Amino acid sequence: MQPTLSVQIGPLILENPVGVASGTFGYGSEYEALVELNALGAIYTKAVTLAPRPGNAIPRIVETPAGMLNSIGLANPGVEAFVEHKLPELKTRRAAVIANVAGASEEEYLAVLERLEEAAGPWISPPEGLPISACSARTGIDGYEINVSCPNVRHGGLAFGTDPIQVERLTAALRARTRRALIVKLTPNVADIAPIARAAEAGGADAVSLINTLVGMVIDVRRLRPVLAMGTGGLSGPAVRPVGVACAYKAARAVRIPVIGLGGIMCADDALQYLLAGARAVQVGTGTFVNPRTAEEVLCGIRAWMEREGVERVEAIAKMLA
Amino acid sequence: MQPTLSVQIGPLILENPVGVASGTFGYGSEYEALVELNALGAIYTKAVTLAPRPGNAIPRIVETPAGMLNSIGLANPGVEAFVEHKLPELKTRRAAVIANVAGASEEEYLAVLERLEEAAGPWISPPEGLPISACSARTGIDGYEINVSCPNVRHGGLAFGTDPIQVERLTAALRARTRRALIVKLTPNVADIAPIARAAEAGGADAVSLINTLVGMVIDVRRLRPVLAMGTGGLSGPAVRPVGVACAYKAARAVRIPVIGLGGIMCADDALQYLLAGARAVQVGTGTFVNPRTAEEVLCGIRAWMEREGVERVEAIAKMLA
Amino acid sequence: MEHFAARVLSNRQIAESWRELVIDWPAQAPEPGQFLTVRASPRFDPLLRRPFAFAGFSRERCEASVIYQVRGEATRLLADLAAGARLDTIGPLGRAFPPPGKGERALLAGGGIGLGPVLFLAREFARRKREGVATGEDGLSPALACFGFRTAASVPAIEWPEGVRIYTDDGSAGFAGTPSSALAEEDAGPGRARIYACGPAAMLAALAALAKSRGWNASLSAEQWMACGVGACMGCALERADGAGFLRACADGPVFERDDIDWAAEAARAAR
Amino acid sequence: MEHFAARVLSNRQIAESWRELVIDWPAQAPEPGQFLTVRASPRFDPLLRRPFAFAGFSRERCEASVIYQVRGEATRLLADLAAGARLDTIGPLGRAFPPPGKGERALLAGGGIGLGPVLFLAREFARRKREGVATGEDGLSPALACFGFRTAASVPAIEWPEGVRIYTDDGSAGFAGTPSSALAEEDAGPGRARIYACGPAAMLAALAALAKSRGWNASLSAEQWMACGVGACMGCALERADGAGFLRACADGPVFERDDIDWAAEAARAAR
Ligand SMILES: Cc1cc2nc3c(=O)[nH]c(=O)nc-3n(C[C@H](O)[C@H](O)[C@H](O)COP(=O)(O)OP(=O)(O)OC[C@H]3O[C@@H](n4cnc5c(N)ncnc54)[C@H](O)[C@@H]3O)c2cc1C
Ligand SMILES: Cc1cc2nc3c(=O)[nH]c(=O)nc-3n(C[C@H](O)[C@H](O)[C@H](O)COP(=O)(O)OP(=O)(O)OC[C@H]3O[C@@H](n4cnc5c(N)ncnc54)[C@H](O)[C@@H]3O)c2cc1C
Ligand SMILES: Cc1cc2nc3c(=O)[nH]c(=O)nc-3n(C[C@H](O)[C@H](O)[C@H](O)COP(=O)(O)O)c2cc1C
Ligand SMILES: Cc1cc2nc3c(=O)[nH]c(=O)nc-3n(C[C@H](O)[C@H](O)[C@H](O)COP(=O)(O)O)c2cc1C
Ligand code: FES
Ligand code: FES
């Protein structure tokens, strides 16, 4: 038996459930020498914002036990440069390309998405039931991941991501502007992720992805100041994996749309925890830094596990938890 | 110069800032053979509830990268057994004894506190300016830590801990019933800890302690079920330390009452991170499991750091961050 | 119980994925059934201390031994320790096997990871016999001491106490069969024998059932994940057979009596 | 750049808390200034890969070396590696030292943790001289190659390329003084020299200022914490001197030109 690995996210069928997380993989080419890009189910790009963002003051990263903090601050060249310099290359990818969109206001999110829609042109769906990789004409953008949850931007996304009303409104406004897959990326920095996931669903999202990073801080006790220039940063890596799995578990029971799980995935078993918790797909973030082949190894391991357990469709794993 | 290590928490002066966290140290005697109990600034007892609680179904613990999940479920013999079997021994301690109080409703919290007040008798304060350890007649309870944040009890404390209105009301009701130090223990499972800390302050708390555990989950991918019988558990240990420090930093800037910091403290530098973030005292939890001498070593290291940096009063560290 | 940096004296492989660790033991003498906990890494992954039963102790040389299986990261790190290395150790911990009552035959059964404590008990019987200290029915030795393994390759290359019987599932070494079946052939009357065992939950359940059906006592060593190892955290709980809550594997056990715990329920939980 | 399990060939102490690691290098040949990243632990604490500059490379034997200081946990784990062990390695990464321009004297200065890349450069000059490949002003060798250490005990016991000058702060070995002061005595005219340096931020700032005042070029290797090491995460940013945002130490550097970065500001940040 050859297990079926494809996963449907709204209009988009991913060839396999394993993607690489926004902000940890650049726009794909950075890891080209080390990673078989064609093996990836999806590439979630670094955040795209309306204006170019140089990013936060330095230092921006620090290691923590089994984790790291980052305060990159959505450093990116802005939507125009993205369209000009990154889009052409992204059209050549086999993996689904999901543009991660961020903004400081509803208008900004909308403007970025509109510009990307315009540049990528209309959504071309592959023949019914086939993964996007089977599509002969690729547009460079196969979906959007709306980052309403970045802890590293002042007056930024975080306010959105913790308020169900704002999440629903923003999602609905974006939904009205695209036929592409629309994924809302949620923050774990809330008392309960379920209402936020439901708000995204109500707004018309095709999926929710979670988790973004947890707010954290490291203080340099010799220099008497926070290590990161911005004070706090976002915690990622294996340390947060149990938090991510719990969030995926809750969200999967709160909504009918697919949940995409991430946070601390370092190996196939970690990814399987997310899938068993109810996620339909996963992303590898910090894991790529530690071992660039993590996503490939995760995919391999999921396939082997499915063969061993006699599971035919990867999407079925979401219902297997006792 | 001999640095001054004592710390004031409302009416209570702790001999030093290093305590052992609730649920990780039993009632003190369990670690007696391994830990110099007289070196501790405070012992926070295992939660005391109105009725005896056998605790949650098993398994109750599982290791995670640089952390652990627990779902002990506030296992404790109940307030009557506490009064009968634990209180006499607690009266003999040099360290401040802080009774950790939990309940499933406001009435339960109040009933536990009232029973403890009755059993311990009126608060006897030591001569002005002296730590509680200097008090000749000890009552066995020097303060209360109100656990409004345990993630492991269904219909339990978590609802309280995420709602400022309930936190203020509960705190005020408890405040009216005791002159002992009243500490409210907060959960990190919120979008913003500041309003909750302010609610505790408004209700009359003498301090807030934070963080309790983060909700997390580990799934056994061979047995297709969560490892913990209860599904989710509370994440503690070094993995959560950056989250705790960020919470302490925010809370210390939100309230004037002292903040007591905990979460992942494994060594003096970790504790100093909390103190620099604005905490006046710290607790060691999971660290004791890994190395029972952690609290002693933390105290030693804080003293050495103060001598090196020329800091006279440990309470002054809270203002030293650049 | 003491906490100290034990010196590793030897750490040799004794079967496939099984090793014997010998450390100096300048602390309180451990008894069979008791355990120690070690910190395998100075960092935090793996984080928690790991429990291991004592497999032997020499009073003359102040040396303790542990037999362990390399299973995951902590035991892999242990396997890397060379003689001379230091190991952060706490012990002795927990409840030991009680001595047999007057007129009770001691029936010992160890399997898999449960080898250590039962071996230690067999060694103690042997020592007492040598030294003429009365224990057991005849006051000197167990009636039976059986150790079960899958196959010849998994039988540890150690010095076995005299009289010990080795069983393998496939008969490739020692007797074919299991310690449980061997014990079932014992004919002691009610109250005339006590089973001492440690091993897979299914084996313990079988032995508890056997003991009950014959009216024997049984002192069985259970396993549970531990955080503190000293009775403070309630993490290592096991369900009481009488339904009145839980017992702590670390402080109330790891050795429990036949009726303390519902061994069949434990076995079902382990198999689930 | 490749990702592979390099074999450790040797890993010896060369000064107090300094070691030289030699690994097989079956991949693309590294150039001076480039670096590799290693994963020090198979577990997750420490988590991130660690960057180290190449200190040498033998094309004949396909061996690369790194000189490193034992500072924290990852380097402690590295220090434990014995010959024959495998080390998860990615490289070569980053921008190398550019060759000197026509008529430019090469002035090399290495200090502390910056020893490796400058040593590699000096070794390459020496090799080219041996092999008669033209580089540098005279086409064959640097005008100066200076390495600074605190004291004699911190001077690594390695084979130094011919002509290299050792400086110690206290004069206990080699010359008394610092590489910066040595370079300041050079009298090349504007555009007639290029400084190559790696070391403490203060030293780089001093050398950048020197180069500016003399009208020399300077190729300086900077340090910054790294997460990905390949240009994907924007974690290793350094401020551009022109205020137009940031440069990535891993992909735009680690070697930067004199005016790319405000070296004085970097030094101030490091000292803060
Ligand atoms: C009182 C007691 C005495 C023990 N004595 C011995 C002994 O003498 N020799 C020996 O080899 N082992 C013994 N063990 C088990 C030993 O503690 C574990 O094998 C060890 O902790 C595994 O650590 P690890 O990091 O290598 O593996 P992990 O990666 O932690 O675990 C590997 C596998 O073992 C399981 N496991 C780990 N710890 C436990 C546990 N406490 N209970 C049940 N399953 C567990 C895990 O679920 C996993 O499947 C004892 C355990 C207890 C509680
Ligand atoms: C491009 C590059 C090349 C390098 N080449 C070498 C080399 O050839 N030899 C060598 O010994 N070291 C080199 N380093 C530094 C080396 O990476 C660190 O010393 C190492 O990562 C420390 O890891 P650790 O876990 O032992 O210490 P940690 O516990 O991580 O750190 C110990 C101390 O070093 C500081 N530190 C750690 N990493 C960095 C960093 N990247 N930048 C600034 N400070 C840091 C920490 O703040 C801490 O004070 C290089 C760094 C970079 C970025
Ligand atoms: C360096 C870094 C940069 C990140 N940038 C972004 C970003 O631009 N947009 C976003 O939605 N998430 C961003 N994230 C969050 C990750 O996509 C991911 O949600 C998080 O790191 C948890 O997954 P992990 O533990 O696998 O890394 C970033 C994470 C890291 C570590
Ligand atoms: C096994 C265990 C039991 C706990 N029980 C309690 C409890 O009864 N009451 C409480 O307020 N916190 C309890 N906690 C939370 C700790 O007191 C502490 O807030 C948390 O573990 C974070 O600190 P740490 O990382 O130092 O362990 C418990 C934690 C653990 C690990
Ligand atoms: S392990 Fe903590 S009570 Fe047993
Ligand atoms: S370390 Fe990731 S961009 Fe340089």
Side-chain angles (χ1 to χ4, degrees):
Chain A
M1 183 208 59
Q2 269 283 51
T4 302
L5 291 164
S6 62
V7 168
Q8 179 148 14
I9 306 291
L12 175 65
I13 298 179
L14 307 173
E15 194 169 73
N16 73 61
V18 186
V20 284
S22 176
T24 65
F25 211 76
Y27 302 92
S29 56
E30 290 83 351
Y31 268 112
E32 202 154 18
L34 301 175
V35 177
E36 179 50 77
L37 297 184
N38 288 337
L40 302 174
I43 297 172
Y44 297 77
T45 71
K46 177 68 193 165
V48 183
T49 57
L50 192 54
R53 287 182 60 96
N56 285 336
I58 58 175
R60 295 178 176 178
I61 53 174
V62 60
E63 196 178 76
T64 69
M68 63 175 284
L69 291 184
N70 87 78
S71 87
I72 306 298
L74 303 180
N76 82 97
V79 68
E80 285 310 325
F82 176 87
V83 164
E84 189 177 339
H85 300 300
K86 308 293 177 188
L87 203 53
E89 180 186 288
L90 291 174
K91 287 187 182 159
T92 69
R93 298 286 171 232
R94 179 182 174 90
V97 174
I98 312 292
N100 183 276
V101 173
S105 65
E106 191 171 314
E107 294 68 45
E108 260 183 64
Y109 282 100
L110 297 178
V112 173
L113 183 121
E114 280 170 356
R115 181 70 186 94
L116 292 174
E117 279 287 290
E118 181 198 321
W123 160 241
I124 305 172
S125 68
E128 181 69 24
L130 284 187
I132 186 70
S133 49
C135 209
S136 56
R138 295 291 291 277
T139 65
I141 298 181
D142 303 308
Y144 300 100
E145 182 178 51
I146 310 304
N147 177 359
V148 293
S149 50
C150 180
N152 292 325
V153 193
R154 301 254 160 102
H155 316 295
L158 190 53
F160 278 112
T162 59
D163 178 355
I165 295 167
Q166 290 201 55
V167 167
E168 179 172 346
R169 206 179 54 195
L170 175 64
T171 308
L174 293 162
R175 175 76 291 170
R177 284 163 173 83
T178 184
R179 289 179 50 219
R180 287 183 165 80
L182 184 64
I183 302 163
V184 178
K185 184 163 178 184
L186 306 183
T187 173
N189 299 294
V190 290
D192 186 0
I193 207 160
I196 321 280
R198 278 193 293 264
E201 181 175 47
D206 294 312
V208 290
S209 59
L210 52 94
I211 57 175
N212 210 314
T213 54
L214 281 160
V215 177
M217 187 176 207
V218 174
I219 290 175
D220 186 327
V221 304
R222 260 147 286 275
R223 297 173 168 192
L224 307 181
R225 56 181 159 91
V227 170
L228 299 180
M230 301 301 285
T232 58
L235 183 64
S236 65
V240 309
R241 196 243 299 142
V243 175
V245 172
C247 285
Y249 179 85
K250 279 187 214 163
R253 275 144 197 81
V255 296
R256 261 178 302 250
I257 54 175
V259 170
I260 300 170
L262 73 156
I265 295 179
M266 309 301 282
C267 65
D269 277 5
D270 295 349
L272 284 162
Q273 288 197 45
Y274 277 96
L275 297 177
L276 286 164
R280 305 298 178 90
V282 295
Q283 299 175 26
V284 175
T286 303
T288 300
F289 300 159
V290 177
N291 170 12
R293 286 191 283 253
T294 303
E296 286 168 72
E297 289 173 11
V298 163
L299 179 60
C300 229
I302 290 175
R303 190 187 282 118
W305 183 91
M306 289 174 70
E307 281 164 4
R308 211 164 49 234
E309 300 277 331
V311 180
E312 281 174 39
R313 294 172 44 252
V314 75
E315 293 184 307
I317 303 176
K319 303 263 176 256
M320 284 175 67
L321 200 69
Chain B
M1 183 208 61
Q2 269 283 51
T4 302
L5 290 164
S6 62
V7 169
Q8 178 149 13
I9 305 291
L12 176 65
I13 299 180
L14 307 174
E15 194 170 72
N16 74 62
V18 185
V20 284
S22 175
T24 65
F25 211 76
Y27 302 92
S29 56
E30 291 83 351
Y31 268 112
E32 202 153 20
L34 301 175
V35 176
E36 178 49 77
L37 297 184
N38 288 338
L40 301 174
I43 297 172
Y44 298 77
T45 70
K46 177 67 193 167
V48 182
T49 56
L50 193 54
R53 288 181 60 96
N56 286 335
I58 57 174
R60 294 179 176 178
I61 52 174
V62 59
E63 196 179 75
T64 69
M68 63 175 284
L69 291 184
N70 87 78
S71 87
I72 307 297
L74 303 181
N76 83 97
V79 69
E80 284 310 326
F82 176 88
V83 165
E84 189 177 340
H85 301 298
K86 309 292 176 188
L87 203 52
E89 179 186 287
L90 292 173
K91 286 188 183 157
T92 68
R93 299 284 170 233
R94 179 181 173 91
V97 174
I98 312 291
N100 183 276
V101 172
S105 65
E106 192 172 312
E107 293 67 44
E108 257 183 66
Y109 282 100
L110 297 179
V112 173
L113 184 120
E114 280 170 356
R115 181 69 187 92
L116 292 174
E117 279 287 290
E118 181 197 322
W123 161 239
I124 304 172
S125 68
E128 181 70 23
L130 284 186
I132 186 71
S133 48
C135 209
S136 55
R138 296 290 292 279
T139 64
I141 298 181
D142 304 307
Y144 300 101
E145 182 178 51
I146 309 304
N147 178 0
V148 293
S149 50
C150 180
N152 291 326
V153 193
R154 302 253 160 101
H155 317 293
L158 191 52
F160 278 112
T162 60
D163 178 354
I165 295 168
Q166 289 201 55
V167 167
E168 179 173 345
R169 204 179 56 196
L170 175 63
T171 308
L174 293 162
R175 176 75 292 168
R177 286 164 172 79
T178 183
R179 290 180 49 219
R180 287 184 164 81
L182 184 64
I183 303 164
V184 178
K185 183 163 179 184
L186 306 183
T187 173
N189 300 295
V190 291
D192 186 1
I193 207 160
I196 320 281
R198 279 192 293 264
E201 181 176 47
D206 294 311
V208 290
S209 58
L210 49 94
I211 56 176
N212 210 315
T213 54
L214 280 160
V215 177
M217 186 176 208
V218 173
I219 289 174
D220 185 327
V221 304
R222 259 147 286 275
R223 296 173 169 191
L224 308 181
R225 56 180 158 92
V227 171
L228 300 180
M230 301 301 284
T232 58
L235 183 63
S236 65
V240 309
R241 195 243 299 142
V243 175
V245 172
C247 286
Y249 179 85
K250 280 188 213 161
R253 274 143 196 82
V255 295
R256 263 180 302 253
I257 53 174
V259 169
I260 300 169
L262 73 157
I265 295 179
M266 309 301 283
C267 64
D269 277 6
D270 295 349
L272 284 162
Q273 288 198 46
Y274 278 95
L275 298 178
L276 285 163
R280 306 297 178 89
V282 293
Q283 299 175 26
V284 174
T286 303
T288 300
F289 299 159
V290 177
N291 170 12
R293 285 191 283 253
T294 302
E296 285 168 73
E297 290 172 11
V298 162
L299 179 60
C300 229
I302 291 175
R303 190 186 282 118
W305 183 91
M306 289 173 70
E307 280 164 4
R308 213 163 50 233
E309 300 277 331
V311 180
E312 280 174 39
R313 292 174 42 252
V314 76
E315 293 184 308
I317 303 177
K319 303 266 177 252
M320 285 176 65
L321 200 68
Chain C
M1 112 186 47
E2 284 165 60
H3 183 191
F4 60 101
R7 201 147 47 83
V8 173
L9 301 173
S10 71
N11 186 12
R12 65 185 183 103
Q13 179 142 4
I14 54 171
E16 212 196 311
S17 87
W18 283 88
R19 303 180 77 89
E20 181 191 50
L21 175 74
V22 183
I23 55 179
D24 68 334
W25 194 268
Q28 186 191 331
E31 292 179 45
Q34 290 192 297
F35 65 100
L36 50 80
T37 64
V38 302
R39 181 172 177 186
S41 161
R43 299 293 302 174
F44 308 126
D45 182 29
L47 177 71
L48 295 172
R49 307 182 70 84
R50 295 292 197 270
F52 297 94
F54 290 97
F57 177 64
S58 153
R59 276 161 214 272
E60 299 78 46
R61 295 194 305 276
C62 291
E63 292 176 11
S65 70
V66 154
I67 291 179
Y68 65 101
Q69 188 185 19
V70 178
R71 272 195 187 184
E73 194 54 25
T75 45
R76 247 194 302 277
L77 289 167
L78 278 190
D80 284 345
L81 291 177
R86 293 281 173 177
L87 181 60
D88 179 333
T89 305
I90 296 178
L93 297 164
R95 177 175 181 260
F97 288 115
K102 235 185 151 57
E104 267 186 349
R105 285 191 204 173
L107 310 176
L108 278 55
I113 248 176
L115 168 62
V118 182
L119 178 65
F120 188 8
L121 186 60
R123 284 170 165 169
E124 279 295 284
F125 274 117
R127 181 180 68 80
R128 289 178 190 199
K129 187 171 185 180
R130 269 198 319 275
E131 297 174 2
V133 185
T135 45
E137 190 195 31
D138 66 354
L140 288 173
S141 59
L144 251 184
C146 312
F147 293 90
F149 304 93
R150 214 152 289 164
T151 168
S154 45
V155 179
I158 54 171
E159 230 180 88
W160 295 96
E162 211 186 315
V164 153
R165 291 214 247 163
I166 305 292
Y167 288 81
T168 50
D169 294 351
D170 60 2
S172 58
F175 302 88
T178 64
S180 312
S181 52
L183 263 57
E185 281 163 32
E186 259 292 315
D187 61 357
R192 309 289 297 167
R194 174 181 291 265
I195 294 176
Y196 293 94
C198 185
M203 171 182 131
L204 298 183
L207 291 173
L210 174 67
K212 192 151 203 167
S213 75
R214 303 287 175 88
W216 299 338
N217 284 311
S219 300
L220 311 174
S221 179
E223 259 200 31
Q224 182 58 287
W225 285 316
M226 293 184 180
C228 73
V230 302
C233 76
M234 309 291 148
C236 63
L238 292 166
E239 251 171 278
R240 295 175 68 116
D242 60 10
F246 296 91
L247 291 161
R248 296 164 302 179
C250 71
D252 303 317
V255 173
F256 294 100
E257 296 305 300
R258 194 190 74 192
D259 297 338
D260 288 345
I261 283 178
D262 183 340
W263 300 96
E266 274 304 302
R269 199 170 57 79
R272 244 199 341 255
Chain D
M1 112 186 45
E2 284 165 59
H3 182 191
F4 60 101
R7 202 147 46 83
V8 173
L9 301 173
S10 69
N11 186 12
R12 66 185 182 103
Q13 180 144 2
I14 54 171
E16 211 197 312
S17 87
W18 283 89
R19 303 180 77 89
E20 182 191 51
L21 175 74
V22 183
I23 56 178
D24 67 334
W25 193 267
Q28 187 191 332
E31 290 179 46
Q34 290 193 297
F35 65 99
L36 50 80
T37 64
V38 302
R39 181 173 178 187
S41 161
R43 299 295 302 174
F44 308 125
D45 183 28
L47 177 70
L48 296 172
R49 306 182 71 83
R50 295 292 198 269
F52 297 93
F54 290 97
F57 177 65
S58 153
R59 276 161 214 274
E60 300 77 48
R61 295 194 306 274
C62 293
E63 292 176 12
S65 70
V66 154
I67 292 180
Y68 65 101
Q69 189 186 18
V70 178
R71 274 194 185 184
E73 194 54 25
T75 45
R76 245 193 304 276
L77 288 167
L78 278 189
D80 284 345
L81 291 177
R86 292 283 173 175
L87 181 60
D88 179 332
T89 305
I90 295 177
L93 297 163
R95 179 176 179 258
F97 289 116
K102 237 187 152 56
E104 266 185 351
R105 285 192 203 169
L107 310 176
L108 279 55
I113 247 177
L115 168 62
V118 182
L119 177 65
F120 187 9
L121 186 60
R123 283 170 165 169
E124 278 295 284
F125 274 117
R127 180 180 70 81
R128 289 178 189 199
K129 188 172 184 179
R130 270 198 319 274
E131 298 174 1
V133 186
T135 44
E137 189 196 34
D138 66 355
L140 287 172
S141 59
L144 253 183
C146 312
F147 294 89
F149 303 93
R150 214 153 288 164
T151 170
S154 46
V155 179
I158 55 170
E159 230 179 272
W160 294 96
E162 214 186 312
V164 152
R165 291 214 248 162
I166 305 292
Y167 289 80
T168 48
D169 294 350
D170 60 2
S172 57
F175 302 87
T178 64
S180 314
S181 52
L183 263 55
E185 281 163 32
E186 260 291 316
D187 61 357
R192 308 291 296 167
R194 174 182 291 266
I195 295 177
Y196 293 93
C198 185
M203 172 182 131
L204 298 183
L207 291 173
L210 175 67
K212 191 149 205 170
S213 74
R214 303 286 175 88
W216 299 339
N217 284 310
S219 300
L220 310 174
S221 180
E223 259 200 30
Q224 182 58 287
W225 286 314
M226 294 183 179
C228 72
V230 302
C233 76
M234 309 292 147
C236 63
L238 292 166
E239 251 171 277
R240 294 176 70 115
D242 61 10
F246 297 90
L247 292 162
R248 296 164 301 179
C250 69
D252 303 319
V255 173
F256 294 100
E257 296 306 299
R258 193 191 75 192
D259 297 339
D260 288 345
I261 282 178
D262 183 342
W263 301 96
E266 274 304 302
R269 198 170 58 79
R272 237 187 0 240

